[in-house]
Amino acid sequence: MKDCLFCKIIAGEIPSSRVFEDEDCYAFRDISPMAPTHVLVVPKTHVESMAHVDEMSSAALAACLRACRTVAEMEGVAESGYRVVSNCGPDACQSVKHLHFHVLGGKQLSEKMD
Ligand code: AMP
């Protein structure tokens, strides 16, 4: 989608640090990491947020979740543990309106989820 930051990253128009990619999703390092591992997994087809997942195929959505697991394994945090977060809408402080999953790990994460 025109003017979408993550669509531009997927298209290679804006540089990113790629971690993983398959036909459905793209994973890259967050520019402002909140943990030693902080990777964003995004669907290659533009979908605004979790509220819009009905616009995706079930296969593409599943591919994104599998990519989160793959990223955790590649980053070496699968055994110690990691968190997958998707912010949806203003109360969750979603700042980029292209569905994305934060994969966070590499340290003891807070019990607090807010
Ligand atoms: P959210 O606040 O859940 O919408 O997450 C958006 C995330 O995108 C934030 O964690 C930002 O640090 C990250 N971000 C913004 N611009 C870039 C960029 N150019 N490359 C990588 N990550 C980015």
Side-chain angles (χ1 to χ4, degrees):
M1 176 183 269
K2 196 171 168 288
D3 297 332
C4 169
L5 173 65
F6 287 173
C7 284
K8 288 180 179 173
I9 284 176
I10 293 161
E13 293 166 14
I14 291 176
S16 65
S17 178
R18 185 175 77 95
V19 174
F20 173 80
E21 181 174 13
D22 66 16
E23 74 179 74
D24 292 306
C25 51
Y26 185 72
F28 56 102
R29 297 198 187 282
D30 196 292
I31 204 165
S32 242
M34 293 190 176
T37 289
H38 189 170
V39 174
L40 300 173
V41 175
V42 305
K44 286 186 172 176
T45 302
H46 183 86
V47 177
E48 186 171 315
S49 73
M50 283 296 295
H52 297 77
V53 290
D54 285 352
E55 297 167 17
M56 298 175 71
S57 69
S58 298
L61 181 57
C64 287
L65 295 178
R66 286 201 182 88
C68 292
R69 191 268 325 269
T70 299
V71 164
E73 290 173 352
M74 292 174 69
E75 292 288 299
V77 300
E79 295 297 321
S80 51
Y82 58 96
R83 183 170 286 160
V84 177
V85 175
S86 187
N87 295 320
C88 178
D91 276 5
C93 303
Q94 181 181 4
S95 62
V96 180
K97 290 186 176 169
H98 181 127
L99 176 65
H100 51 283
F101 298 92
H102 298 256
V103 180
L104 298 149
K107 69 172 187 179
Q108 179 63 60
L109 299 169
S110 167
E111 281 186 8
K112 291 184 70 174
M113 295 289 285
D114 65 348

